[in-house]
């Protein structure tokens, strides 16, 4: 019994130390993603059930209309997964840092890919501001690997 309690205390201490490693700006964005990830399934299902149109945007992926298409499903899944990753990071879970790094690179690839796609398809150039946050975020997370 004492070993189990000691193990739980060590785990809680480890999670607390991990949370302390995160800068405030990552915590703010993390809570924003948790909130969005918690709300988006209900909005998406509401759109499916009641047939209202909505505007979906994340990492340069954009869609406006009903939910009966692949793109709004993809965007909603992206937002939901971001929320899960943020939860793992903010609560110091063992998998949290790795999940955020992997999905951070996926998000950066989606953002850059959407800018290139826009340039090729429409001939115009759309500069997105997400990489101004995504790149420092990924740099900071990669620096935390050794301490996590």
């Amino acid at each position: 019994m004492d070993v189990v309690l000691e193990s739980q205390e060590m785990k809680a201490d480890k999670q607390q130390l991990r949370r302390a490693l995160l800068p405030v700006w990552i915590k703010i964005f993390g809570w924003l993603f948790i909130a969005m990830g918690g709300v988006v399934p209900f909005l998406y299902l509401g759109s499916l059930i009641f047939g209202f149109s909505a505007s979906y945007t994340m990492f340069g992926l954009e869609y406006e209309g009903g939910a009966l298409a692949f793109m709004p499903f993809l965007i909603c899944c992206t937002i939901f997964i971001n929320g899960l990753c943020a939860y793992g990071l903010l609560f110091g879970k063992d998998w949290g840092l790795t999940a955020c790094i992997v999905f951070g690179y996926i998000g950066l690839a989606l953002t850059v890919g959407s800018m290139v796609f826009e340039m090729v398809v429409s001939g115009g150039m759309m500069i997105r501001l997400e990489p101004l946050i995504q790149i420092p975020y990924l740099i900071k997370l990669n620096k935390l690997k050794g301490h996590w």
Side-chain angles (χ1 to χ4, degrees):
M1 180 79 166
D2 290 335
V3 174
V4 173
L5 287 175
E6 187 175 310
S7 176
Q8 289 175 344
E9 287 177 13
M10 287 180 17
K11 190 173 184 175
D13 289 342
K14 184 189 256 188
Q15 289 175 338
Q16 194 68 16
L17 289 171
R18 288 175 175 169
R19 283 185 229 156
L21 293 171
L22 300 173
V24 173
W25 67 274
I26 288 181
K27 290 177 183 178
I28 291 169
F29 279 104
W31 281 108
L32 178 67
F33 279 117
I34 288 172
M36 290 182 350
V39 169
V40 77
F42 297 106
L43 293 176
Y44 180 74
L45 288 174
S47 180
L48 271 176
I49 294 167
F50 299 112
F52 61 83
S53 66
S55 178
Y56 305 87
T57 302
M58 185 66 151
F59 297 139
L61 302 174
E62 297 178 9
Y63 180 83
E64 190 168 332
L68 287 174
F70 179 69
M71 188 58 83
F73 176 74
L74 176 66
I75 295 169
C76 288
C77 286
T78 302
I79 295 169
F80 182 73
I81 292 169
N82 256 332
L84 289 177
C85 292
Y87 166 80
L89 187 68
L90 292 181
F91 287 88
K93 302 296 182 188
D94 292 335
W95 51 268
L97 183 68
T98 303
C100 283
I101 290 172
V102 168
F103 211 71
Y105 282 115
I106 290 170
L108 183 60
L110 285 171
T111 303
V112 171
S114 70
M115 289 190 309
V116 170
F117 180 78
E118 181 74 26
M119 187 171 54
V120 169
V121 170
S122 72
M125 186 162 186
M126 171 72 135
I127 307 244
R128 305 203 62 85
L129 298 178
E130 287 98 329
L132 294 177
I133 299 293
Q134 290 170 317
I135 292 170
Y137 169 74
L138 287 168
I139 291 169
K140 180 63 178 173
L141 292 185
N142 279 302
K143 287 181 181 178
L144 292 177
K145 275 187 199 176
H147 303 289
W148 199 258

